[in-house]
Amino acid sequence: EAIVDYALARSKPFAVVPCCVFRKMFPGRRTASGQPVHNYAQFVDYLQAKSPKIKRTELNFTGSNVVLWAKGGSAK
């Protein structure tokens, strides 16, 4: 999450493959509906909701296989 926040704040390109939710370490994470982020799917949605610039691509393997990415630059 810190990488996503850093890149968005500085309009930098990034790509991350989220893996671990760590819900006990980050109890303040909430879905768009206000529910706590408890699982992988919710965590990926939570990260992607940080900006409309963030795109999602599914990688061709099992497990944590979603990459979230943005090209950087202005929000336009």
Side-chain angles (χ1 to χ4, degrees):
E1 181 175 3
I3 291 169
V4 173
D5 291 342
Y6 181 91
L8 290 173
R10 289 161 183 79
S11 298
K12 299 289 185 182
F14 69 90
V16 295
V17 178
C19 63
C20 302
V21 179
F22 293 114
R23 66 184 179 122
K24 290 182 181 179
M25 288 178 61
F26 300 99
R29 290 178 178 155
R30 299 278 182 235
T31 65
S33 64
Q35 299 299 314
V37 173
H38 283 285
N39 61 50
Y40 177 74
Q42 290 173 327
F43 185 44
V44 173
D45 290 344
Y46 165 80
L47 290 174
Q48 189 173 13
K50 288 180 172 277
S51 172
K53 296 187 321 181
I54 299 175
K55 307 300 181 205
R56 178 188 304 222
T57 302
E58 188 172 321
L59 303 172
N60 190 22
F61 56 83
T62 59
S64 300
N65 65 346
V66 174
V67 61
L68 297 177
W69 57 275
K71 291 184 179 181
S74 67
K76 296 178 183 175

